[in-house]
Amino acid sequence: MKIVSEIIRGVMNENPILILGLGLCPVLAVTTSVENALGMGLATTFVILCSNLLVSLVKSFIPDKIRIPCYIVIIATFTTIINLEMAAFLPDLHRKLGIFIPLITVNCMILGRAESFASKNNMFNSLIDAVGMGIGFTLSLALVASVREILGAGQWYGFNVLPSAFRNEPIIAAVMAPGAFLTLGFILAALNIYKSKYKKEG
Amino acid sequence: MEYIAHILHIAIFAILVNNFILAKFLGLCPYLGVSKKLDSAFGMGMAVIFVMTLASAITYVLNSLVLVPFELQYLQTIAFILTIASIVQAVEIVLQKLTPELYGQLGIFLPLLTTNCAVLGVALLNLEPQNNGQLFDFFESTLSGFFNGIGYALVLLLMAGIRERLDRSDVPDSMKGMPIALVVAGCMALAFIGFSGMRF
């Protein structure tokens, strides 16, 4: 029961993007389509799983003063692994995500979890925390990408969802740079409205 | 003359057309975190220019003299992030000695430059083929780091100016803080798209 509530905490109450506001660069950059967003989310989940696990395993050997560089090297190692794997097995997706795969190294969400959770908790709890955070990250990416892909191309995961009259002249700005900022801004605002209503009723 | 035009081309592309924040989405955490006050945004901007220039120069040398001759390109990410971490540490020590006030203001954000994707991003992008299909040499790569840093600082300062005024305006409750900052950033990105039509 505790495992489920821990995972839900990562997805809802402490969602890394929508609540904590960590690791925003990939959220805005790769969310032009749901496919890219899921690929990026899963790659990041892999890295956070492995790094949380390893950090919690070696936390007692690492001297306190150089812990941050150690965490960064651990994260960079797993990023390199997923980068090479994707280049070999998913070359199309790898080309589309481009520079943002190596940049998983500097995603503040992963370093943040290593520093604030994995370095203080045991292996199992760190793993559960990473699963929750990874799912929360992937779902938020998918949410932003859904809005942008539907508005910007009239499609969802490559399937046509809006009539062809819309698809022929979609809101191109939604898949361009401004659309990313505006979409996330309005999603956060909607979340604030929901939260204030929830508070009043509760 | 040809060469000056070439450098100007790199500068305009880096600062306006392919702006790191508004067109490439790199380094957004400090962009939204430090842009609440003009003077701390200025300090952060200067730090970014300095670190990005240094990082571009050093990672280029590291790549062409060590990684490529020994066929170790797959270690790029790890080697670069360690280099950047050391540079940031050095800048931190210098800043602490020279201007303690500025150091106090930047506080937590200076160590965060290590995990600023703009710095690692510029190091990696410098090694990729550019718009004209050619690779940067050492000088061009350093300049690209410098100009991209200027573009970053420019947008950071513009944003800080806007947010100082936003503090005094009447924003709906639900839009306060992060949402309005993102919407403002969206409007700025819309304005910067205008530059992408520039041809030489």
Side-chain angles (χ1 to χ4, degrees), chain A residues 36-59:
Chain A
N36 289 358
L38 287 180
M40 185 71 199
L42 292 179
T44 311
T45 307
F46 169 80
V47 176
I48 195 174
L49 267 177
C50 297
S51 67
N52 251 14
L53 195 64
L54 195 60
V55 166
S56 71
L57 272 177
V58 298
K59 61 176 183 286

Side-chain angles (χ1 to χ4, degrees), chain A residues 3-194:
Chain A
I3 300 173
V4 177
S5 69
E6 280 287 292
I7 291 179
I8 289 176
R9 178 180 62 90
V11 180
M12 306 289 288
N13 300 350
E14 285 185 27
N15 187 298
I17 294 164
L18 301 177
I19 310 287
L20 304 179
L22 292 173
L24 290 178
C25 307
V27 182
L28 299 178
V30 303
T31 50
T32 46
S33 74
V34 178
E35 191 190 354
N36 289 358
L38 287 180
M40 185 71 199
L42 292 179
T44 311
T45 307
F46 169 80
V47 176
I48 195 174
L49 267 177
C50 297
S51 67
N52 251 14
L53 195 64
L54 195 60
V55 166
S56 71
L57 272 177
V58 298
K59 61 176 183 286
S60 46
F61 307 123
I62 298 179
D64 200 43
K65 279 198 174 143
I66 54 156
R67 64 182 196 288
I68 301 283
C70 292
Y71 297 161
I72 292 179
V73 173
I74 291 174
I75 296 168
T77 310
F78 289 116
T79 308
T80 307
I81 293 174
I82 194 79
N83 190 16
L84 295 174
E85 290 285 334
M86 284 180 85
F89 294 109
L90 300 164
D92 280 342
L93 191 62
H94 185 260
R95 206 175 312 116
K96 272 190 221 153
L97 297 177
I99 189 178
F100 285 93
I101 294 287
L103 284 182
I104 294 177
T105 318
V106 285
N107 188 324
C108 15
M109 176 188 81
I110 300 178
L111 187 64
R113 290 328 282 178
E115 163 76 4
S116 69
F117 198 93
S119 64
K120 294 179 188 114
N121 287 280
N122 65 23
M123 224 176 86
F124 185 68
N125 284 348
S126 308
L127 202 64
I128 300 295
D129 180 68
V131 172
M133 285 290 152
I135 296 176
F137 185 81
T138 311
L139 285 183
S140 325
L141 275 180
L143 175 67
V144 178
S146 305
V147 175
R148 289 182 71 191
E149 198 182 348
I150 289 173
L151 288 181
Q155 296 179 323
W156 191 84
Y157 204 85
F159 297 109
N160 300 334
V161 288
L162 291 179
S164 63
F166 182 86
R167 285 204 310 280
N168 291 337
E169 278 183 35
I171 309 167
I172 297 172
V175 286
M176 289 167 78
F181 288 110
L182 293 174
T183 308
L184 188 62
F186 285 117
I187 287 177
L188 291 181
L191 214 67
N192 280 344
I193 294 176
Y194 173 76

